[in-house]
Amino acid sequence: MANVSDRPDAGIPPAEVPDLPLPHPHTWWGRYVFSQDAKYIAIQYSGTAIAIGLVGLVLSWLMRLQLGFPGIFDFITPEAYYQFITMHGMIMVIYLLTAIFLGGFGNYLIPLMVGARDMVFPFVNMLSYWIYLLAVLVLVASFFVPGGPTGAGWTLYPPQAILSGTPGGQGAGIILMLVSLILFIIGFTMGGLNYVVTVLQARTRGMTLMRMPLTVWGIFTATVMALLAFPALFVACVMMLFDRLLGTSFFMPALVELGETLSYGGGSPIVFQHLFWFFGHPEVYIVALPAFGIVSDLISVHARKNIFGYRMMVWAIVIIGALSFIVWAHHMYVSGMHPYFGFFFATTTLIIAVPTAIKVYNWVLTLWKGDIHLTLPMLFAIAFIVTFANGGLTGLFLGNVVVDVPLSDTMFVVAHFHMVMGVAPILVIFGAIYHWYPKMTGRMLNEAMGQIHFWVTFIGAYAIFFPMHYVGLVGVPRRYPEIDASFITTPVAGLNAFISVAALVVGAAQVLFLFNLLWSLRAGRAAGPNPWRACSLEWQTPDTPPVHGNWGKDLPVVYRWAYDYSVPGAPEDFIAQNDPGPRIEKDVPL
Amino acid sequence: MSIVLVFLLVVALIAGWWLSRQGLTSKPWLETGEIRTTAGVGAAPAAKIGLGVFLAVVGGLFALFGSAVTMRMDYADWYQLRLPSVVWINTAILVLSSAVLQIAVSAARRGESALLLASVAAGGLSTLAFLVGQLLAWRWLVDSGQSLAAHPGASFFYVITGLHGLHILGGLVALARTGGRLRRGNDPRRARLGVELCAIYWHFLLIVWLGMLALLLGWASDLVALCRELL
Amino acid sequence: MIVALILLLLVLGSVIFHLVSPWWWTPIASNWAYIDSTLVVTFWITGIVFAAVVLFLAYCVYRFRHQPGRKADYEPENKRLEVWLTVATSIGVAAMLAPGLIVWKQFVTVPSEATEVEVVGQQWSWSYRLPGADGKLGASGVNWISADNPLGVSPHDSNGADDVIVEGGDLHLPIGKPVKVVLRSVDVLHDFYVPEFRAKMDMVPGTVTYFWFTPIRTGEFEVLCAELCGTGHAFMRSYVQVQEQAEYDAWLGEQVTFASLQRPRPVRVAAEP
């Protein structure tokens, strides 16, 4: 057994982590509205994200109604359809997934998991939420302005995004969208600084980086990436605002729109695409890495087994994070950029598949010879592996430049990215909520409702997006409000109707989930401090739910990694991280 | 996108250097027991690390603007921006305020509170002068027919100087609060840290300004061309 | 038990759907059969991996489900297994990437004998321009666009005079001759997409983009726009008619040239900006 003193940094004199002064609220407003407690901010973030996510869900229903049963719903005009897809995409990617993973889970779990009392800059953390809320409100406001929200597609490609041929292009829609994004980025940066510096500076004694749960690794790496990637979207949004409002030509070439020569000239839409995807690709991993981290922990806890290949998992997270900054142009193979970029970006894209595949293997290998409790979090984790493997593998089609040529801009792409960054991360969010709800509220979520929610969501979502790949293979382009039978040899109307019915059912199941969240708050079974018998620190708090300041008088001291499950010779099948524990000789090969 | 990629490479090297000292190859399951180290990055206060991370974000932001400039430059309608001489005076003023804040830092270290207060005030005032100078430069540009939408070089100049100015304004707020704290004198440790952070921020924004100026005046691309020729 | 069974059914269902579903790509009409083959290779490799992962998952869920007295193994890592898996994955990835890059090389290398055909997109219709007798397309730009010069062909470039302009009609192509499709847009992004040709490329205002292909069977193929271009995006349609050389020549003879469009009135030049 390796000795602690073998470590190179063992000679550093012991130092206590300085206890941070906590801003204690004195008023009702300070406690429940302008709270500076990361856990409370987390709940505010998640609540807002879920609320706006419901809007996104309803928009997806409307789109599917139009696609599945064209011609029946008169109010879904092409203009409305484009507004629905744009707002659906933007809401889901940015305002739901990014916000809930980083603002929600990041805020709740980071301080608890690293043994801190709170985030290091609580006031900035609070501001982050309020600016996020403002961004959401500006976004929602665009539904109510004349001309409605923008219908430029979530990619907001100029020139069409700011021209009159696109809904909201010459109205306030696009302006509000850009302003909302700029606000979101400012708010996120404030929160992101907190998450990063808390992990860097506020870990409790003994919590080395390699003892952190993978959840923290995932959220930390994703936050670093987001801090570096979101500025690209910021720059693109600012420049587009100038083009739209002040007549500059950053992205706007000379053009004749519907017979009228506009005053723009010389700009390049491709520059926008580069900036957008420089943000847009890392964004995929900003959503995926927290999901990777969380699902690793869910699998490990509920299979009562340490995560297989922890070191490899950490390295893979870091490597994926770094590589994701040099693959962005694989979204632009048919954009008209220099064709030779295709060689470089196809290669980097397929290289990133290797560490990603290793993560999938390690999740499955963690189950091997485990003691698998098929709890709801575990079920969602299994469903994540299936959908993520499916979506990840179809990514190999689209990343391989020449295979992408026939498939790009078809429904295949829509199916791929929904499976890999829609369904898979959302399944993790559900699993995580079923897993941590007991800690957040002290009560378990209702199991029966959870089972129905799980099976409908998993099977339903697979039934939506698996067949959708084939709609794309036939050749149906994405962003078509109407797929008539005229242009394809194989009619897809029947398949589309099936997909739409599945989408409606899956959406309805989420209502049950929301009901369960509220119902279990009162009626759920009491959970106790550590219902899953998990090792990581957040389950070891003196109070459940944890109070402001998280820990009692003293911060916990960490003696081991977060995965000491089923250690041979141990009396129980888990040893908490802050448990000095019996000294057990672990008989494992070095 | 080469500028931002170079910037990210620098960030990645720093991150990699730091990670390499974190025992990422250790086998945590074998290391049971108390590890007696401080958790954080050395003894630096959280605010300093926070500023460092923030500067990485700001650096990325301006690097991306730099990349946008170089990409836009390749199109036919790009022509050289003409700048008034007041820009050079502004640059000198910004160098001055950066230097004055550095004096403030050393004054704080030696405990010379009169010099500290004076240099913080001088730093703030000279920075205000810089902002006024930038506004004058804008006016000169408009008068010389280089208004916002006149040509892309000018558009970039307004956007970048505007955003740079906003960052400076934010710094001025922080500097004013630090100055207030110094005058009240009730929390000298925090005030001293504030001075130090402001100085770092000012140096950083000075470097950003010089970089952006070089880029917009075409010096940066001349330099790259020269290097290419040498290679 | 039930979970493992459902996972098994999911894999079976996916494979059966793939094999029997009528939804498959359109019969190819260009030389890019290689793209289809690369796609099929990718389908096989990814399909096998997917089935293997999910079936293994199902087996684990069944075999190692919680039972009283069960205790999990303690196995932090297994270097040999991990290295082995990494190498196998890398080989699989390389097996997809290598043919992909080789075909891409062909895709971006336009053969010298290819004839140029210009496609111009605007909200929301397609126009075409053929080089005429001299085999060269004249210069063009949006500042020359006017009512009788909808494509903005330069009146100053002598190569443009004999260019054949097809506005609102179908594009005709002779079978078996490689074509370099030169793409231009006068307003927003569009994408010239004919599912049967497999190839597609965005049209970017302010720039000229291209791709090439050889039509290999005659018939009528519908042109779609594949890049969101505003409200009428889905209704921006046209046809490509691939014909035998003789039929094509006959069609070509009926078309108007740029010069004949301009003749009735003196050329009007829009002011330079």
Side-chain angles (χ1 to χ4, degrees), chain A residues 22-366:
Chain A
L22 282 180
H24 281 291
H26 302 292
T27 59
W28 182 88
W29 284 94
R31 197 182 304 262
Y32 294 109
V33 181
F34 298 103
S35 173
Q36 298 188 26
D37 181 352
K39 295 186 294 298
Y40 201 84
I41 295 171
I43 292 168
Q44 290 176 316
Y45 247 116
S46 310
T48 313
I50 290 174
I52 191 72
L54 280 176
V55 176
L57 177 75
V58 171
L59 291 174
S60 75
W61 273 350
L62 293 171
M63 281 145 51
R64 278 320 313 183
L65 282 177
Q66 168 65 19
L67 284 178
F69 314 100
I72 295 178
F73 303 93
D74 289 339
F75 68 98
I76 310 178
T77 56
E79 285 88 353
Y81 181 84
Y82 287 127
Q83 291 170 329
F84 296 162
I85 59 163
T86 307
M87 297 310 271
H88 167 80
M90 208 52 116
I91 285 172
M92 291 306 196
V93 172
I94 310 251
Y95 300 87
L96 171 64
L97 286 172
T98 309
I100 203 169
F101 269 123
L102 303 181
F105 289 106
N107 260 320
Y108 202 90
L109 294 174
I110 289 176
L112 282 168
M113 283 187 152
V114 303
R117 293 210 182 274
D118 204 332
M119 289 290 180
V120 285
F121 313 120
F123 180 76
V124 179
N125 203 21
M126 177 196 77
L127 272 187
S128 158
Y129 168 71
W130 289 100
I131 296 177
Y132 164 65
L133 182 66
L134 185 63
V136 170
L137 292 177
V138 171
L139 183 81
V140 171
S142 75
F143 281 99
F144 302 102
V145 294
T150 172
W154 88 280
T155 48
L156 302 179
Y157 279 179
Q160 54 103 3
I162 57 173
L163 294 181
S164 59
T166 298
Q170 280 295 302
I174 183 71
I175 298 169
L176 289 177
M177 169 57 82
L178 295 172
V179 169
S180 171
L181 285 172
I182 288 173
L183 284 172
F184 179 91
I185 294 163
I186 293 171
F188 170 76
T189 305
M190 294 179 158
L193 287 177
N194 260 298
Y195 318 149
V196 170
V197 180
T198 303
V199 171
L200 291 179
Q201 288 299 85
R203 278 171 289 134
T204 189
R205 226 168 72 186
M207 182 61 88
T208 60
L209 285 194
M210 292 306 269
R211 280 178 174 180
M212 291 198 308
L214 287 168
T215 299
V216 180
W217 266 109
I219 295 175
F220 173 68
T221 314
T223 307
V224 172
M225 290 168 58
L227 285 174
L228 294 170
F230 269 116
L233 182 63
F234 185 91
V235 168
C237 285
V238 168
M239 285 162 65
M240 185 133 84
L241 260 184
F242 271 73
D243 278 3
R244 166 69 179 77
L245 292 173
L246 301 167
T248 54
S249 295
F250 290 120
F251 304 133
M252 300 296 280
L255 55 88
V256 178
E257 198 210 16
L258 303 172
E260 188 192 344
T261 307
L262 303 185
S263 62
Y264 295 113
S268 165
I270 306 263
V271 174
F272 177 87
Q273 294 183 23
H274 277 296
L275 289 172
F276 183 86
W277 289 115
F278 191 80
F279 143 78
H281 194 76
E283 170 64 23
V284 174
Y285 289 95
I286 290 164
V287 171
L289 289 185
F292 288 178
I294 290 171
V295 87
S296 308
D297 284 358
L298 299 188
I299 289 174
S300 172
V301 173
H302 297 271
R304 315 307 300 159
K305 189 162 171 273
N306 58 65
I307 190 76
F308 181 81
Y310 173 83
R311 299 191 299 166
M312 205 72 136
M313 294 298 250
V314 170
W315 301 341
I317 285 179
V318 174
I319 290 170
I320 291 171
L323 281 181
S324 68
F325 278 97
I326 50 167
V327 298
W328 78 88
H330 68 213
H331 299 267
M332 299 167 60
Y333 288 146
V334 297
S335 73
M337 66 173 181
H338 196 292
Y340 277 78
F341 285 175
F343 293 107
F344 174 78
F345 285 101
T347 309
T348 54
T349 304
L350 265 70
I351 288 173
I352 217 172
V354 177
T356 315
I358 288 168
K359 294 196 76 78
V360 175
Y361 302 148
N362 284 6
W363 291 320
V364 186
L365 288 170
T366 303

Side-chain angles (χ1 to χ4, degrees), chain B residues 185-208:
Chain B
N186 49 8
D187 194 353
R189 241 186 59 194
R190 217 170 142 194
R192 226 174 297 149
L193 178 65
V195 173
E196 215 172 303
L197 297 184
C198 284
I200 295 173
Y201 188 67
W202 253 253
H203 301 336
F204 184 81
L205 284 182
L206 173 66
I207 294 169
V208 166

Side-chain angles (χ1 to χ4, degrees), chain A residues 528-539:
Chain A
N530 191 358
W532 311 116
R533 298 148 49 74
C535 299
S536 46
L537 276 187
E538 81 275 21
W539 298 102

Side-chain angles (χ1 to χ4, degrees), chain B residues 83-96:
Chain B
L83 286 181
S85 43
V86 67
V87 167
W88 299 109
I89 301 171
N90 292 346
T91 309
I93 293 175
L94 196 62
V95 172
L96 181 77

Side-chain angles (χ1 to χ4, degrees), chain B residues 156-215:
Chain B
F156 270 114
F157 182 80
Y158 288 102
V159 175
I160 290 174
T161 48
L163 215 64
H164 183 259
L166 283 178
H167 279 86
I168 294 233
L169 265 182
L172 275 177
V173 172
L175 191 68
R177 289 185 53 176
T178 305
R181 212 169 270 144
L182 281 175
R183 285 208 13 213
R184 283 194 303 278
N186 49 8
D187 194 353
R189 241 186 59 194
R190 217 170 142 194
R192 226 174 297 149
L193 178 65
V195 173
E196 215 172 303
L197 297 184
C198 284
I200 295 173
Y201 188 67
W202 253 253
H203 301 336
F204 184 81
L205 284 182
L206 173 66
I207 294 169
V208 166
W209 168 243
L210 294 177
M212 289 295 134
L213 204 56
L215 195 68

